[in-house]
Amino acid sequence: MRFGGAETGAAGARGVGSLANQRVWGWGRQPVGETELRRPERLRDLYAAVSGEGTALARGLGRSYGDASFNSAGTTILMERIDRYVDFDPSAGVVECEAGVTIDDLVRHFVPRGFFPPVVPGTKHVTMGGAIASDIHGKNHHKDGSLARHLLDFELLTASGDIVTCSRDENPDLFWATLGGMGLTGVVTTLRMQMTPVASAYVEVDIDRAPDLDRTLELFHESDENYRYSVAWVDGLAGGRSLGRSILMRGNPAPSGDGRGLDVKRRKERSVPKIFPAALLNRTSVKAFNTLYYRRHPRQARGAVQHYEPFFFPLDAARDWNRLYGKRGFTQYQCVLPYEGGRDGLARILEFVRRETRGSFLTVLKRFGPGEADSPLSFPMPGYTLAMDIPWRGAALESALERIDAIVIELGGRVYLTKDARLSAESLRAMYDRLDEWLAVKRRVDPESRFVSDLGQRLGLVA
Ligand SMILES: Cc1cc2nc3c(=O)[nH]c(=O)nc-3n(C[C@H](O)[C@H](O)[C@H](O)COP(=O)(O)OP(=O)(O)OC[C@H]3O[C@@H](n4cnc5c(N)ncnc54)[C@H](O)[C@@H]3O)c2cc1C
């Protein structure tokens, strides 16, 4: 039987199935942990799973890249079966559901009813619990903020065994510490969220090809406000005058009509073989692909109509694409740099990664609007966010990434914890200046550190 990113033997089919000593990992396939896996079938089983001895952590679909989603020191609780809908108010567009409901579920159920989730990441295979714990952002952050802005409230199962309602008015410090709190304040059991009304399942997309970083940023600043969704694919292997060359893909929700309805398209997701020869994905092959991809796009195209599926979730076309990186896996380095100094910081980082690592095989650049001022660990802040997928290379890569951390810290930026597998506790402190506020909430609601993850231990988030 397969549990998300963990390969295991059979778990009990009913109630709290439990398997000891299971190897688990995140989307980057490294690092690998070992944990007891439990998979409750319903909420009452979840309470039982958390109420035992030892430490625990909730896990969604394991789409965080590093060690955020498992607890080698104890139990990891799979939330995938805690996925029931509780209520939907069509007049207000408010959905209430359990935390194991995924973005995929939401899209399939609500697009035909004229609603879309307010924030979606680059894959639809994430649970709402995982989305809250990371306070996810989407291509619309510059307009609509992160998930926090659209959540009405959620219920949190805390270390004391109590279920606590968290909202802006009720237990607000716990509400804000859980958003971005990487599962370490408790287990989100249910939530209420404002959905976004849509007239169709389509997006009207404009394409711009930018020959270098300056033009990419110029286009962002000139015209991003005209678009609800904005993202740039960057050729991470191009250097010299082409450093930062990109394809900007920006769009707005399409009106209905002309054959555009509220249809859900189920693409067949192809699987990458379990044993994929990682050597096929290398700097030369990716460089050739990037050049083709860049040139294949017109300098400018306007108003192409695209279904939401390829626009928001292009990578989901291949289900296990993380296997392309082979056994050693990869890491994603995602940082945000404030606008001031951001342009030079981006140039330095892109050039450094190109020269000092095997290179970033997939590079994405976005702009953030205002962050959530009340949330100590939420990642977004106004600025540029750069995400780079880099093949894992052990200590050599770790020390290269530490040098990028230094640039990020110098410019007042930060790294996204849900993508992280190697940041140090010292660098975390230098990046998140309200860390002590978060730690104070953690100590109050979980004085004995019952909620633990490998990431939490590495970063000093648990005692
Ligand atoms: C291809 C790809 C593209 C992505 N694009 C984006 C993007 O554009 N924007 C973005 O913000 N993120 C993006 N992500 C990251 C992803 O959205 C987050 O890592 C998300 O948290 C994954 O959800 P999950 O259900 O898989 O959670 P997991 O990876 O299983 O867990 C992530 C964290 O959530 C916690 N958690 C899970 N369930 C609960 C719960 N019920 N209660 C409390 N804590 C819980 C875990 O303890 C862990 O700390 C992307 C990931 C991939 C693989």
Side-chain angles (χ1 to χ4, degrees):
M1 183 173 293
R2 206 177 129 71
F3 283 150
E7 284 166 354
T8 73
R14 286 182 187 284
V16 188
S18 169
L19 286 164
N21 305 329
Q22 298 303 309
R23 280 161 58 81
V24 280
W25 52 86
W27 190 245
R29 297 172 66 84
Q30 64 73 39
V32 175
E34 201 172 292
T35 186
E36 178 189 348
L37 283 181
R38 290 180 155 224
R39 189 171 61 190
E41 298 283 331
R42 20 184 88 75
L43 278 179
R44 66 166 182 275
D45 304 325
L46 171 68
Y47 308 146
V50 173
S51 67
E53 292 284 296
T55 60
L57 182 80
R59 172 174 167 114
L61 294 185
R63 260 32 180 215
S64 51
Y65 279 64
D67 49 1
S69 67
F70 50 87
N71 171 26
S72 295
T75 303
T76 302
I77 300 168
L78 303 170
M79 294 294 291
E80 57 201 27
R81 298 276 171 88
I82 310 294
D83 63 349
R84 289 153 188 86
Y85 286 102
V86 181
D87 195 18
F88 178 61
D89 175 352
S91 58
V94 172
V95 62
E96 183 174 358
C97 63
E98 292 178 350
V101 164
T102 64
I103 294 282
D104 188 28
D105 295 329
L106 287 168
V107 162
R108 273 189 291 122
H109 279 95
F110 289 103
V111 164
R113 293 172 168 83
F115 290 95
F116 202 74
V119 173
V120 298
T123 172
K124 58 187 189 281
H125 301 301
V126 304
T127 63
M128 286 312 300
I132 291 174
S134 302
D135 188 19
I136 60 162
H137 57 269
K139 295 179 170 73
N140 56 343
H141 189 277
H142 62 295
K143 289 276 191 194
D144 300 325
S146 60
L147 181 63
R149 206 182 284 180
H150 312 273
L151 273 181
L152 277 65
D153 49 40
F154 53 79
E155 304 275 296
L156 189 73
L157 173 58
T158 59
S160 61
D162 296 326
I163 308 271
V164 180
T165 303
C166 300
S167 70
R168 286 165 184 76
D169 305 316
E170 243 179 298
N171 301 301
D173 55 347
L174 200 44
F175 179 78
W176 293 115
T178 300
L179 280 153
M182 305 311 295
L184 297 171
T185 55
V187 182
V188 176
T189 58
T190 59
L191 58 119
R192 289 195 311 140
M193 178 174 70
Q194 179 69 56
M195 299 285 281
T196 302
V198 286
S200 82
Y202 292 79
V203 183
E204 279 176 349
V205 186
D206 288 352
I207 302 282
D208 289 279
R209 199 169 75 182
D212 55 31
L213 182 62
D214 284 332
R215 184 62 187 144
T216 300
L217 302 187
E218 207 173 81
L219 281 164
F220 270 153
H221 287 285
E222 267 172 17
S223 43
D224 245 15
E225 287 312 310
N226 302 335
Y227 298 100
R228 172 127 263 120
Y229 309 113
S230 166
V231 67
W233 167 89
V234 175
D235 181 352
L237 295 180
R241 284 197 320 206
S242 299
L243 186 80
R245 72 177 176 183
S246 73
I247 309 291
L248 283 88
M249 293 166 250
R250 298 181 293 175
N252 286 306
S256 58
D258 287 338
R260 295 180 302 252
L262 292 165
D263 46 312
V264 173
K265 288 195 175 32
R266 301 300 293 159
R267 273 191 308 185
K268 190 166 165 31
E269 294 183 4
R270 290 176 199 290
S271 249
V272 172
K274 244 184 186 169
I275 306 168
F276 181 84
L280 291 181
L281 190 73
N282 56 47
R283 200 176 166 106
T284 312
S285 63
V286 176
K287 202 167 177 169
F289 170 85
N290 282 2
T291 302
L292 270 175
Y293 187 79
Y294 178 77
R295 296 215 176 114
R296 209 190 63 181
H297 283 85
R299 194 155 297 154
Q300 192 179 74
R302 292 288 174 260
V305 174
Q306 219 179 357
H307 191 259
Y308 72 77
E309 182 81 41
F311 182 75
F312 289 113
F313 313 120
L315 294 169
D316 287 342
R319 193 162 179 95
D320 300 302
W321 63 261
N322 56 343
R323 288 189 191 149
L324 293 173
Y325 287 86
K327 272 212 153 117
R328 292 191 82 182
F330 69 113
T331 192
Q332 184 176 103
Y333 190 94
Q334 181 171 1
C335 61
V336 53
L337 301 177
Y339 289 121
E340 198 183 328
R343 186 258 165 229
D344 290 341
L346 289 174
R348 280 164 72 191
I349 293 172
L350 285 168
E351 183 54 20
F352 181 86
V353 169
R354 207 177 65 80
R355 271 191 293 106
E356 304 288 332
T357 73
R358 289 198 181 156
S360 166
F361 289 3
L362 180 63
T363 309
V364 171
L365 185 62
K366 292 192 267 217
R367 268 180 68 228
F368 279 157
E372 286 299 337
D374 292 316
S375 179
L377 286 189
S378 174
F379 167 65
M381 60 157 73
Y384 305 111
T385 181
L386 180 69
M388 299 171 291
D389 285 1
I390 307 172
W392 189 244
R393 227 176 8 130
L397 182 62
E398 282 196 47
S399 79
L401 296 182
E402 276 162 20
R403 287 161 67 194
I404 306 180
D405 294 340
I407 301 177
V408 172
I409 291 168
E410 176 195 322
L411 294 173
R414 54 172 75 133
V415 158
Y416 192 12
L417 297 187
T418 209
K419 308 288 179 74
D420 175 55
R422 31 66 48 193
L423 195 69
S424 70
E426 295 71 39
S427 296
L428 174 82
R429 180 163 286 282
M431 291 173 179
Y432 286 85
D433 54 8
R434 294 175 55 201
L435 181 60
D436 285 333
E437 278 174 55
W438 186 88
L439 288 170
V441 177
K442 169 78 175 164
R443 274 193 296 272
R444 181 170 58 74
V445 291
D446 186 11
E448 287 165 17
S449 277
R450 287 225 50 217
F451 291 105
V452 172
S453 65
D454 286 33
L455 172 137
Q457 298 228 9
R458 174 167 57 80
L459 292 176
L461 296 173
V462 293

